[in-house]
Amino acid sequence: MKPATIPPVRVSAKFRAELDKALEKGETLAALVEKAVSTEVLRRKSQAEFVRRGLAAIARTQQAGNGIPADAVIAKLEARLTAARRTLARKATRQATRQE
């Protein structure tokens, strides 16, 4: 496959100066841009795969009919949070009592 170019991007003079400062020793601006674009493309592919797997899992759960309703999950999490807050309050009370 023949090499292709990426379209030039207009940036402010201030940002260009920041880019130049960010370059590592011996690194070119073109190399930095290529690395940044490659990294972003890989991140987007990974994100798309993550979303695809999540949607597939949701579809499987819906077909199987064995999902847990969101209200039940939220209620359980709220109960855990309330219990954790009580525990912290008790610990704070004990520490305050010991310091007196």
Side-chain angles (χ1 to χ4, degrees), residues 1 3 8-9 12 16-18 20 28-30 39 41 44 47 50 54 65 70 80 82 85-86 90 92 96-98:
M1 179 179 243
V9 178
S12 69
R16 174 60 196 255
E18 289 179 37
D20 289 336
T28 65
L29 183 57
T39 300
V41 167
R44 289 181 183 198
Q47 179 71 18
F50 175 79
R80 289 177 67 182
T82 299
R85 285 180 174 152
R86 281 188 196 130
R90 277 188 238 128
T97 304
R98 288 180 190 154

Side-chain angles (χ1 to χ4, degrees), residues 10-20:
R10 290 198 178 274
V11 296
S12 69
K14 182 179 176 183
F15 185 64
R16 174 60 196 255
E18 289 179 37
L19 282 171
D20 289 336

Side-chain angles (χ1 to χ4, degrees), residues 21-40:
K21 286 180 186 176
L23 293 175
E24 295 177 357
K25 187 175 181 178
E27 184 179 36
T28 65
L29 183 57
L32 175 64
V33 169
E34 181 183 6
K35 183 178 180 182
V37 170
S38 285
T39 300
E40 182 62 16

